[in-house]
Amino acid sequence: MSTGPVLDIRELTTRFDTRRGPVTAVDRFSLNLGSGETLGLVGESGCGKSVTALSVMRLLPRPAGRIAGGRILFKGKDLASLPESRMRRIRGNEISMIFQEPMTSLNPVYTVGFQIVEALRRHRRMHRRAAREEAARMLSLVGIPEPGARLNDYPHQLSGGMRQRVMIAMALSCRPAVMIADEPTTALDVTIQAQILDLMNRLKAEIGMAVMLITHDLGVVAETCQRVAVMYTGRIVEAADVRTLFRRPAHPYTVGLFQSLPQIGGRQGRLKPIPGAVPSLLRLPPGCAFQERCFRSDGQCRQDPPWTAVGPEHWARCWHPMEVST
Amino acid sequence: MTEALLRAEDLVMHYPTKAGGRPGRRGTAVKAVDGVSLAVQPGEVFGLVGESGCGKSTLGRLLLRIEAPTAGRVFFEGQDLGGFDRGRLKRFRRQAQIIYQDPYSALNPRQRVGRIIAEPLEIHGIGTATERQQRVAELLQVVGLRPGQAVRYPHEFSGGQRQRIVIARALALNPRLILADEPVSALDVSIQAQVINLLEELKGRFGLTYIFISHDLSVVEHISDRVAVMYLGRLVELAEREVFYQRPLHPYAQALLSAAPVPDPDAPRQRQILKGDVPSPINPPSGCTFHPRCPHQMPVCVEERPGLRELAPGHWVACHLY
Ligand SMILES: Nc1ncnc2c1ncn2[C@@H]1O[C@H](COP(=O)(O)OP(=O)(O)OP(=O)(O)O)[C@@H](O)[C@H]1O
Ligand SMILES: Nc1ncnc2c1ncn2[C@@H]1O[C@H](COP(=O)(O)OP(=O)(O)O)[C@@H](O)[C@H]1O
Ligand code: SF4
Ligand code: SF4
Ligand SMILES: [Mg+2]
Ligand SMILES: [Mg+2]
């Protein structure tokens, strides 16, 4: 399947300067992505998923946000330190991104056709005529009926599901090696979500790209990803292939996430929430950030927990991971 | 069967569309709710599901008479809300409260939490200032917060805590019925579970009845006794929870259930993917409004609107297949 990682993120650290002091939104984040693979990045809101994506794309809001450390290796280059002029040639071309709310990335004053055509002309150096044909082909590929006519529509004339399809068409039009999809279906209804996930799965196979799928929905992960990384307060706390992570979660936080879900197929009495709430990044406790909510914490957890192999290709950042031996 | 706590008959809500329509098409309207009848029994949790824009929130507002319907009637304990004068409507409000989705915008950022929770008591002129303060302290405890937190402002609380404050305020007047419109949709799963547990606990403790609106089918399955599915302003299926989740009959309900992602990588997937989008409620399709997307469409479906019929005791479906 894969021949070494296409994207290799090593110890990425991203900070924001806020009025109340510096915040480490992404903390020594390491992860790699093989071509043809879909990796799920999950975690609750504010844990740093979007900041990770924006760091890789080098789209952090400036001047507040900056990459403070680490490397983002892509085809032998370190994106973390690449000059903006060279990054511009990679962004939207070799690595593209789709956002949760497509209206934020589609320009409301241009037709969708114009926007796709411009991207094709810029990145694939196509002529206008050929680019327009290719744009129509892309729209039909993502399942938009009457693609030729739709090219003349403005974004607001499309439904949420159609806009997300257009976003995907744009993101794919340059046949990227890596696609980062940040909550691509969170704003959509389930029947439309099913259409979009199905579409992404098919196109991924066709184009052979690597996908980093960011979501808070464990159902979406189970249906689309081969590997999963779980984030909490800016750090990856567990990583494994999808079956292992769902069957034998090792980190107490991952265990808590699964227990919080209402079970399918009936009422099981009370749910088992994780107590408390995610701590503020400005007031993290020393050591493990999950300790105040953890059912296994003890004194040792006031020290930074190690990244521990708990099984084959299965790691957890925890002093007392669950017993996962098979 | 006991008398329904709340009953709706043929509710219709058409919002006239404003400028932007072409001349000659002045009569157009958004058919947000288009002929809904239902009955909510005392002590039950009545789940209402459906996709964005299908009319769930609008139906909720009609049921609680926050808006008057274009047509149709709502009865609370057998009394027609449409015939209520202001005084009786105010008394009805004490009995039926609403919780909205967004715990951020539901709370006035400049008011202390104690004041927010006491507000319904003040509006209804209940108790002295001291008694209201005591009641606020009690309510904070009931929802799992500390009485001392009454002096804080909403921004000092997390999302889940804010939803607890919203719930405390809804409980202030000892209501019998609570309409919860997507009460946990804005919350992370671990916090969502906390709030669902709280809602279930309060229901038992105070003998509440809930109308629970959500687009999350697993949350609705967890909490509801009966489930109603809405599509383009109409109910298409209504059944007991177990019956509905084991054997949904309406093709739209089947598609909805099969589309919900299952958090299990080994779950069998026979996903039925619907074509197209939900049509606009301004110009809904003829006959069965689901017909353009329905895999079982028949000629009659384009012509005739299927009525909601009781196929088995308590199991209502609006579809020509049956
Ligand atoms: N005050 C209003 N004026 C005009 N149209 C309205 C109004 N309120 C709702 N609508 C329309 O009525 C339809 C139903 O809306 P409603 O808010 O009830 O849907 P919903 O099922 O609650 O959706 P969601 O899941 O997105 O909350 C929509 O097409 C909406 O745009
Ligand atoms: N522009 C910004 N300025 C300051 N802090 C930010 C900014 N963007 C994000 N953050 C902080 O970084 C953390 C991670 O945010 P984000 O990556 O958006 O989370 P999510 O996992 O929900 O996508 C949060 O604590 C957030 O408040
Ligand atoms: S390190 Fe300690 S506190 Fe953190 S998750 Fe593991 S057991 Fe819990
Ligand atoms: S009435 Fe016809 S179109 Fe409508 S759901 Fe039933 S079979 Fe499908
Ligand atoms: Mg995000
Ligand atoms: Mg609504």
Side-chain angles (χ1 to χ4, degrees):
Chain A
M1 197 177 75
S2 65
T3 53
V6 45
L7 185 69
D8 188 359
I9 305 174
R10 296 192 190 162
E11 301 273 310
L12 172 69
T13 297
T14 301
R15 290 215 175 89
F16 286 100
D17 292 319
T18 72
R19 268 177 299 146
R20 295 160 72 198
V23 155
T24 305
V26 175
D27 189 7
R28 289 160 286 166
F29 177 109
S30 298
L31 198 66
N32 58 59
L33 197 58
S35 54
E37 167 178 69
T38 301
L39 177 120
L41 187 58
V42 301
E44 297 182 277
S45 60
C47 71
K49 305 181 295 294
S50 297
V51 172
T52 302
L54 294 174
S55 304
V56 173
M57 295 301 287
R58 291 268 307 273
L59 288 173
L60 290 168
R62 300 210 308 176
R66 72 198 143 81
I67 294 175
R71 292 188 292 167
I72 304 167
L73 302 175
F74 174 73
K75 294 192 174 168
K77 295 175 284 265
D78 179 11
L79 304 185
S81 58
L82 212 61
E84 173 60 24
S85 58
R86 288 185 59 202
M87 191 62 212
R88 214 173 288 141
R89 269 179 266 148
I90 292 176
R91 190 188 301 130
N93 186 21
E94 292 183 272
I95 306 181
S96 58
M97 178 161 173
I98 43 183
F99 298 86
Q100 170 167 347
E101 179 36 70
M103 273 319 254
T104 56
S105 40
L106 287 170
N107 190 329
V109 306
Y110 295 114
T111 63
V112 300
F114 179 84
Q115 297 183 53
I116 304 177
V117 166
E118 280 311 293
L120 288 169
R121 279 161 52 94
R122 186 159 12 106
H123 293 306
R124 279 169 69 186
R125 306 193 180 285
M126 292 175 102
H127 289 292
R128 192 177 296 277
R129 188 81 168 276
R132 210 173 154 81
E133 275 165 23
E134 175 68 4
R137 201 185 70 80
M138 290 306 301
L139 289 191
S140 85
L141 189 67
V142 297
I144 291 186
E146 300 174 72
R150 284 296 180 191
L151 286 176
N152 300 321
D153 281 353
Y154 289 89
H156 74 266
Q157 293 174 290
L158 304 174
S159 69
M162 288 229 261
R163 283 200 286 264
Q164 202 55 286
R165 283 162 201 270
V166 169
M167 271 302 304
I168 293 174
M170 276 176 69
L172 295 180
S173 59
C174 299
R175 307 198 156 255
V178 175
M179 178 155 93
I180 301 178
D182 188 359
E183 310 256 8
T185 58
T186 303
L188 304 176
D189 282 316
V190 293
T191 63
I192 309 300
Q193 165 168 284
Q195 293 171 349
I196 299 288
L197 293 178
D198 179 60
L199 172 71
M200 284 178 52
N201 278 341
R202 276 188 292 117
L203 293 178
K204 185 199 74 170
E206 203 175 301
I207 297 179
M209 63 191 170
V211 178
M212 190 196 296
L213 179 71
I214 296 177
T215 179
H216 64 274
D217 187 331
L218 293 164
V220 169
V221 171
E223 306 223 340
T224 48
C225 300
Q226 285 91 53
R227 269 197 308 144
V228 196
V230 181
M231 272 184 99
Y232 191 76
T233 59
R235 299 208 80 176
I236 295 187
V237 296
E238 182 163 6
D241 72 273
V242 70
R243 192 156 281 112
T244 303
L245 191 103
F246 277 66
R247 289 271 169 272
R248 295 186 294 277
H251 196 282
Y253 173 62
T254 316
V255 172
L257 277 184
F258 281 113
Q259 288 185 343
S260 301
L261 292 176
Q263 299 299 307
I264 341 268
R267 201 182 297 208
Q268 74 276 36
R270 285 171 66 80
L271 298 172
K272 295 188 195 66
I274 302 175
V278 178
S280 157
L281 292 178
L282 288 157
R283 286 187 300 274
L284 290 182
C288 177
F290 188 58
Q291 60 188 278
E292 284 142 2
R293 308 176 74 191
C294 182
F295 58 96
R296 288 170 86 91
S297 74
D298 63 12
Q300 192 170 28
C301 306
R302 284 194 289 272
Q303 313 285 323
D304 211 6
W307 185 234
T308 311
V310 291
E313 301 292 304
H314 185 184
W315 288 272
R317 189 178 308 285
C318 177
W319 288 111
H320 312 295
M322 312 296 287
E323 199 55 63
V324 296
S325 58
T326 39
Chain B
M1 204 185 259
T2 49
E3 190 191 7
L5 182 62
L6 191 79
R7 190 160 58 81
E9 258 176 26
D10 278 320
L11 279 183
V12 172
M13 189 68 199
H14 288 182
Y15 294 106
T17 50
K18 302 198 190 67
R22 295 182 202 94
R25 292 189 58 206
R26 278 169 71 215
T28 58
V30 180
K31 296 177 175 138
V33 173
D34 201 19
V36 170
S37 301
L38 55 82
V40 179
Q41 303 302 327
E44 79 167 329
V45 179
F46 185 94
L48 185 59
V49 300
E51 294 180 281
S52 181
C54 71
K56 305 180 295 296
S57 298
T58 306
L59 177 59
R61 290 196 301 273
L62 301 183
L63 291 174
L64 262 62
R65 194 88 191 173
I66 290 160
E67 271 184 293
T70 311
R73 295 194 293 174
V74 179
F75 301 88
F76 185 73
E77 297 185 309
Q79 311 272 312
D80 184 352
L81 295 182
F84 280 14
D85 58 21
R86 282 188 57 188
R88 286 188 71 191
L89 208 51
K90 198 167 168 187
R91 260 176 285 148
F92 166 66
R93 296 251 176 277
R94 289 175 61 165
Q95 311 236 33
Q97 289 282 315
I98 189 160
I99 298 171
Y100 292 105
Q101 164 169 359
D102 186 359
Y104 298 91
S105 59
L107 302 172
N108 182 340
R110 280 183 291 279
Q111 276 183 358
R112 291 179 199 273
V113 161
R115 181 79 200 287
I116 291 172
I117 296 173
E119 193 179 26
L121 299 167
E122 282 167 26
I123 291 173
H124 289 268
I126 294 166
T128 63
T130 330
E131 281 165 349
R132 287 199 289 261
Q133 246 179 37
Q134 276 166 5
R135 177 81 177 129
V136 166
E138 187 184 307
L139 287 163
L140 281 169
Q141 270 175 325
V142 161
V143 298
L145 297 170
R146 282 178 287 108
Q149 291 174 308
V151 296
R152 302 237 196 125
Y153 289 93
H155 75 260
E156 299 174 64
F157 293 85
S158 68
Q161 289 178 317
R162 282 183 238 202
Q163 199 57 295
R164 289 175 193 269
I165 296 166
V166 172
I167 294 169
R169 180 175 59 184
L171 289 174
L173 297 166
N174 277 320
R176 299 191 54 199
L177 173 70
I178 289 185
L179 179 114
D181 189 351
E182 306 264 11
V184 296
S185 304
L187 306 175
D188 282 317
V189 288
S190 71
I191 308 300
Q192 186 173 311
Q194 295 175 0
V195 173
I196 291 171
N197 279 352
L198 175 65
L199 286 171
E200 291 196 303
E201 183 190 309
L202 297 173
K203 176 180 179 286
R205 185 156 165 197
F206 300 113
L208 297 167
T209 302
Y210 291 144
I211 300 172
F212 193 96
I213 298 178
S214 178
H215 65 275
D216 186 328
L217 291 152
S218 59
V219 168
V220 168
E221 177 174 17
H222 178 81
I223 200 167
S224 307
D225 296 304
R226 286 194 299 154
V227 180
V229 182
M230 218 173 159
Y231 189 77
L232 277 180
R234 303 176 185 176
L235 294 193
V236 296
E237 184 155 358
L238 168 62
E240 300 271 338
R241 180 199 45 212
E242 287 88 359
V243 175
F244 175 75
Y245 281 89
Q246 269 160 36
R247 208 163 86 84
L249 293 177
H250 194 281
Y252 173 67
Q254 291 170 348
L256 201 61
L257 279 172
S258 93
V262 180
D264 176 356
D266 295 318
R269 290 195 182 21
Q270 295 141 327
R271 168 141 309 151
Q272 185 188 335
I273 294 187
L274 289 176
K275 322 169 267 200
D277 280 325
V278 181
S280 153
I282 297 179
N283 200 358
S286 63
C288 170
T289 52
F290 184 58
H291 83 253
R293 306 175 77 197
C294 181
H296 307 288
Q297 191 210 113
M298 305 170 284
V300 62
C301 307
V302 184
E303 303 287 330
E304 250 180 67
R305 170 176 176 169
L308 197 62
R309 290 185 306 117
E310 193 170 15
L311 299 184
H315 196 166
W316 299 75
V317 181
C319 172
H320 292 304
L321 280 178
Y322 305 99

